[in-house]
Amino acid sequence: MRTRYWRTAVGVLLTAVMLFPVYWMIVVSLTPARDMRKSPPSLFPASPTLEGYERVLREQLPYFGTSLLVALGTVVLTLVLAAPAAYALAKLWPAGRRVFGFVLLVAQMIPGIIMALGFYGIYVRLGITNTVWGLILADSTVAVPFAVLVLTSFMASVPDELLQAARIDGAGPWRTFVSIVLPASRNGVITAALFSFLWAWSDFVFAATLDSGGPLQPLTLGIYRYIGNNNQEWNSIMATAVIASVPATVLLVVAQRFVAAGLTSGAVKD
Amino acid sequence: MRARLAAWAFVVPLVVYLVVCYAYPLYTNIDLSLREHTVRTFVYGGAPLAGFANYATVFADPAFRTALLNTVAFTVVSLVFQYTIGLALAVFFARAFPLSATLRALFLVPWLLPLIVSASTWAWLLNSESGLVNAVLGIVGAGPVNWLTSPSWSLVSVTIANIWIGVPFNLVLLYSGLRNLPAEVNEASALDGASGWQTFRYVTFPLLRPVSAITLLLGLVYTIKVFDIIWIMTRGGPSGSSSTLATWSYELGFGSPLPRFGPSAAVGNVLILMALAAGLVYIRAQERR
């Protein structure tokens, strides 16, 4: 029993070391601007202030709205494309899995920066840079291959008897998909949706290349501008970063098992 | 026949999407790299074909050598540390103890944070004048280091940040690999009188080899193309000292008022070949498992 608690103590220590940068981000976000250059910096927020957060709410709110819009749009687009295709590959046409699996794995490996330049070339010619839906389309490329692969494996485990029963009752493929397969693979849908949201929310490459001059810009660009302005107000920058981390934290708390499932099935992050 | 038709109806949107959103941008990229572009031709078309002139320009540029060597160094050092730390943590967490599941979950945080958040946090930690790292160095008597602004340290700094982000990924994959090993093997080894280290060295580690290979190869594919962290922390600088193929490609195309799209696309296509080579090795390894 004693050795087990010894392990817990070491584990807590290791976790504290690993998460120290996150802790520091929170401390800095609460530090008054006048103490920002204090040497040495104090390890605890000695006189915590919310001035950084106030400034964020004043200046960065539109960026957050755009990010939310882009992330939700990406989730919808990704699921609309991936779920039916996954159903087909899992149940209607299993022979296609090999080819599509290979193509999607390769697609996941293409560096984001290359996709960004290609999209930029296309968007400039079509005159659709700096649009939110253009950004959604580009952001979805990170999520779609992953979503198809995850959903296919979830849908493949839906028992065939269920589908046969539906067919005997006269349900066509679409009906079967909507009322049997989708509900039965709910966990897969949640996993795919969560990761699509997180990746679109976090995207920087596509935003920087395709939407850096638009009226609606996501918060990754908001933070980037803050840093780039040679800004001394690091409490505002870190306050934005803290708020930008909220979705990831919520995800970890409410959906930890989905996160682990997604990661081990080869989740990608650029 | 009807089933086949239905299957196609469900897959066709994905196929169209893959053509429009993958094949077409990649084709655009190749096309860009083979033409002599100005800002005007980039918008209106009509750029003359230039053959492989852009590639020749890129290969002749001394910045190419730097970016290539930096990419290799950044990738290899990141992988070595991420894997070693991840494996040590996986072994530590493999035996359950009170709170172990919660702590393991907390270890995922760096991997889930938006990269701009991690990058700006590290940038402030490593800030020359006001960063915590230099403050701590000052307390133990070491001089301040210009982590992000000195050419000899910038690559080290971005590599440290990248290792921090990659550890959780290695931990989770190696942990699930360890959990899938048959428990009897370790027990047998312990009964034979092997020490904990001997069991690890001669039993666990060799058994884990397939999972290790997958983890490292997947890490390789992702690390080669890392862009955000480096660009946000140093923009590949100062004077190219932390530039990789990914950041150099971006810098050529977007980093200056006078974009050079042809060379930018050429560098991108070199990078894609490296990523795909790594990717194909990964797929081979995955299939053999």
Side-chain angles (χ1 to χ4, degrees), chain A residues 255-269:
Chain A
Q256 194 206 328
R257 63 201 173 105
F258 300 113
V259 174
L263 214 164
T264 40
S265 62
V268 199
K269 185 167 179 177

Side-chain angles (χ1 to χ4, degrees), chain B residues 149-174:
Chain B
T149 50
S150 121
S152 27
W153 286 102
S154 57
L155 190 64
V156 175
S157 304
V158 294
T159 310
I160 291 174
N162 190 57
I163 291 168
W164 183 73
I165 293 164
V167 163
F169 177 77
N170 285 262
L171 165 62
V172 171
L173 290 191
L174 294 168

Side-chain angles (χ1 to χ4, degrees), chain A residues 86-168:
Chain A
Y87 167 53
L89 295 177
K91 290 299 180 191
L92 302 174
W93 184 43
R97 272 174 87 167
R98 222 184 122 72
V99 173
F100 273 88
F102 180 78
V103 170
L104 293 169
L105 265 178
V106 170
Q108 277 187 312
M109 290 163 182
I110 299 170
I113 179 71
I114 287 159
M115 297 296 291
L117 183 60
F119 269 112
Y120 185 69
I122 296 167
Y123 282 15
V124 164
R125 246 165 249 175
L126 297 176
I128 55 172
T129 48
N130 302 328
T131 57
V132 163
W133 60 270
L135 185 55
I136 291 176
L137 192 64
D139 278 349
S140 71
T141 58
V142 183
V144 166
F146 168 79
V148 176
L149 293 173
V150 165
L151 285 170
T152 304
S153 73
F154 269 92
M155 289 179 180
S157 62
V158 175
D160 283 328
E161 292 77 30
L162 268 180
L163 306 190
Q164 271 160 15
R167 198 164 62 217
I168 291 164

